[in-house]
């Protein structure tokens, strides 16, 4: 996959000159030309500017014309798969989820306790 080819395709489809994109990212046109031909790498900051120029996300620009991954739906996963997905999160995000689960479990225990004890009266 070559981001430069995707950029060139978008640029040509819109009738934009190489010099316009080169100016946008602060690069000499000859160096920018090498990006489009795959002879030079492009920085993430430059890709971000170009994606914004074309009103796209970086993912859309990088994966132009490809099927983009959709959001993960936990409803379609087994409990084991859900736990595996949670394990892939950053530690802070995992802690947040586990605190939420702990809160729900505590709430359930209190509810069960009161129902059991109030029903006994």
């Amino acid at each position: 996959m070559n981001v430069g080819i995707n950029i060139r395709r978008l640029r040509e489809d819109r009738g934009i000159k190489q010099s316009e994109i080169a100016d946008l990212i602060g690069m000499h046109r000859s160096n920018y030309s090498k990006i489009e031909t795959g002879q030079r790498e492009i920085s993430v900051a430059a890709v971000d500017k170009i994606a914004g120029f074309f009103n796209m996300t970086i993912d859309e620009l990088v994966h132009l014309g490809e099927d983009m991954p959709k959001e993960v739906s936990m409803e379609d996963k087994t409990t084991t798969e859900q736990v595996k997905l949670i394990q892939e999160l950053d530690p802070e995000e995992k802690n947040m989820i586990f605190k939420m689960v702990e809160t729900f479990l505590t709430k359930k225990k209190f509810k069960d306790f009161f129902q059991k004890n109030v029903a006994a009266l």
Side-chain angles (χ1 to χ4, degrees):
M1 144 186 25
N2 187 331
V3 178
I5 291 171
N6 294 346
I7 296 168
R8 181 178 63 215
R9 185 180 317 152
L10 287 168
R11 181 184 59 74
E12 289 175 347
D13 287 349
R14 290 171 173 79
I16 299 169
K17 296 179 182 180
Q18 280 188 342
S19 59
E20 292 178 64
I21 302 295
D23 289 343
L24 173 74
I25 60 174
M27 182 178 282
H28 191 274
R29 196 205 58 77
S30 63
N31 287 331
Y32 170 76
S33 177
K34 291 177 183 176
I35 290 171
E36 286 192 359
T37 60
Q39 298 172 1
R40 181 181 174 134
E41 295 294 320
I42 185 170
S43 71
V44 173
V47 171
D48 187 42
K49 285 181 184 179
I50 294 169
F53 177 79
F54 287 115
N55 199 25
M56 305 173 87
T57 65
I58 292 175
D59 277 342
E60 290 170 331
L61 180 59
V62 169
H63 300 287
L64 188 66
E66 298 176 18
D67 288 334
M68 291 292 294
K70 304 295 182 222
E71 70 180 51
V72 175
S73 174
M74 295 295 280
E75 297 166 359
D76 300 338
K77 307 289 182 208
T78 65
T79 303
T80 304
E81 290 172 319
Q82 291 175 353
V83 171
K84 285 180 183 178
L85 288 170
I86 290 169
Q87 290 301 325
E88 294 176 13
L89 297 174
D90 292 332
E92 185 178 317
E93 294 167 329
K94 280 193 280 191
N95 286 336
M96 200 179 324
I97 288 173
F98 291 132
K99 284 179 183 178
M100 288 173 50
V101 170
E102 189 175 302
T103 301
F104 290 130
L105 291 173
T106 302
K107 182 179 174 182
K108 182 184 180 331
K109 285 181 182 181
F110 275 117
K111 183 179 175 184
D112 291 347
F113 173 79
F114 284 117
Q115 284 180 345
K116 187 178 191 180
N117 290 315
V118 170
L121 295 176

